[in-house]
Amino acid sequence: MRALGRPAGTQQKKITPPMPPPHPPELRRRAVELARRGDISLLRLAKELGISRSCLRTWLKRDAAEARSGAGDRPAREVRKELAELRGRNKRLETENDVLRRAVELALGERSPKVVYSLIRKLADGRVPVAVACRLLRVSTSGYYDWLGRPEPPRALRDKELTEMIRRIHADSDGTYGSPRVYAKLRSDLGEEVSRKRVERLMREAGLRGAHGSPSPSPSSAARARPGPRPSA
């Protein structure tokens, strides 16, 4: 017996449901952001956003791939331009570093490691990494730290001590005392055993001058200025 309402020999047509509208980009970005936080499971998040879990996983994979490529939604021409600029900048930096390295080598010449290590310490005080400074100046970091841990020679420590005394005496005189009067103060008032030449040298290195604004004379200039013996009559 044939079913009522359907002609013989006809087939029932399949009805294809309409395609859902594409999700807006704002929804995708928001979904990926919430999923990255990990506050709730992907299944629950997908239900709250009204999407399937497989759709959310697809968005996450696509976002990760774009992050790895570094391109994102930017045009390929823009990415290529940025890479070319970075390569050019890197080349300029390499050239500048090479020039600076050669300039430092010429400036230091055959200087002792102590001079190089002193320069590295000053660079480190200016927040330059010690490893970088040692590499550019062609010394080992272990050698620098060994030098840094060594105590200063007694003469250098004595120079520092005398320089502090000299600075106080010079300041107490309102900057009027030259090396002769500073030397006299050290000997008579403080009882320090020190030579006049050493006082002259320390004042010169500290940049201290007398009342007339002339620096403390060097031993060579003082010798030249010293009058010779009077000729006999």
Side-chain angles (χ1 to χ4, degrees):
M1 182 176 179
R2 291 184 303 175
L4 298 176
R6 179 186 302 174
T10 61
Q11 296 181 351
Q12 186 178 4
K13 293 182 179 181
K14 294 182 179 179
I15 300 176
T16 304
M19 293 293 293
H23 298 292
E26 293 80 7
L27 177 62
R28 173 190 165 187
R29 285 194 292 268
R30 182 60 177 166
V32 171
E33 180 183 352
L34 293 174
R36 296 295 186 202
R37 291 181 183 177
D39 296 336
I40 59 177
S41 64
L42 295 182
L43 179 60
R44 180 180 172 186
L45 178 60
K47 287 182 178 181
E48 291 183 358
L49 295 176
I51 59 177
S52 64
R53 184 168 58 174
S54 60
C55 178
L56 180 56
R57 286 178 174 173
T58 301
W59 288 352
L60 289 170
K61 290 179 182 179
R62 188 181 304 172
D63 182 75
E66 291 176 354
R68 286 193 300 270
S69 65
D73 298 328
R74 294 180 298 168
R77 182 181 301 177
E78 182 181 345
V79 176
R80 288 196 297 269
K81 181 181 178 180
E82 184 177 344
L83 290 175
E85 292 177 354
L86 290 175
R87 293 192 186 99
R89 189 182 306 170
N90 187 51
K91 184 66 176 178
R92 288 194 299 271
L93 289 175
E94 289 179 353
T95 303
E96 292 173 0
N97 286 337
D98 185 59
V99 171
L100 291 175
R101 183 164 50 248
R102 295 184 182 184
V104 169
E105 291 175 355
L106 291 174
L108 293 178
E110 298 297 329
R111 301 289 178 90
S112 64
K114 179 181 178 180
V115 176
V116 180
Y117 293 151
S118 299
L119 176 58
I120 293 174
R121 181 166 60 181
K122 292 181 180 179
L123 293 173
D125 292 340
R127 298 185 179 181
V128 175
V130 171
V132 175
C134 290
R135 176 169 53 82
L136 293 178
L137 296 177
R138 308 291 179 87
V139 295
S140 65
T141 54
S142 59
Y144 167 73
Y145 284 114
D146 287 343
W147 170 84
L148 195 63
R150 294 174 185 171
E152 291 188 87
R155 181 174 178 82
L157 293 174
R158 176 63 173 162
D159 282 350
K160 285 186 176 181
E161 182 183 8
L162 288 172
T163 300
E164 289 300 318
M165 298 179 188
I166 291 171
R167 288 184 185 276
R168 287 197 297 269
I169 295 172
H170 189 263
D172 291 342
S173 71
D174 295 328
T176 60
Y177 282 6
S179 59
R181 300 186 72 176
V182 171
Y183 165 75
K185 283 284 185 180
L186 285 171
R187 298 275 297 185
S188 61
D189 293 2
L190 301 180
E192 294 293 334
E193 295 291 336
V194 59
S195 67
R196 183 168 177 172
K197 290 183 178 180
R198 191 172 193 177
V199 173
E200 292 174 356
R201 175 178 61 83
L202 293 177
M203 288 189 68
R204 188 167 55 251
E205 292 175 355
L208 301 178
R209 300 168 180 266
H212 299 291
S214 59
S216 300
S218 62
S220 57
S221 61
R224 288 195 299 270
R226 189 180 302 114
R230 294 182 179 181
S232 59

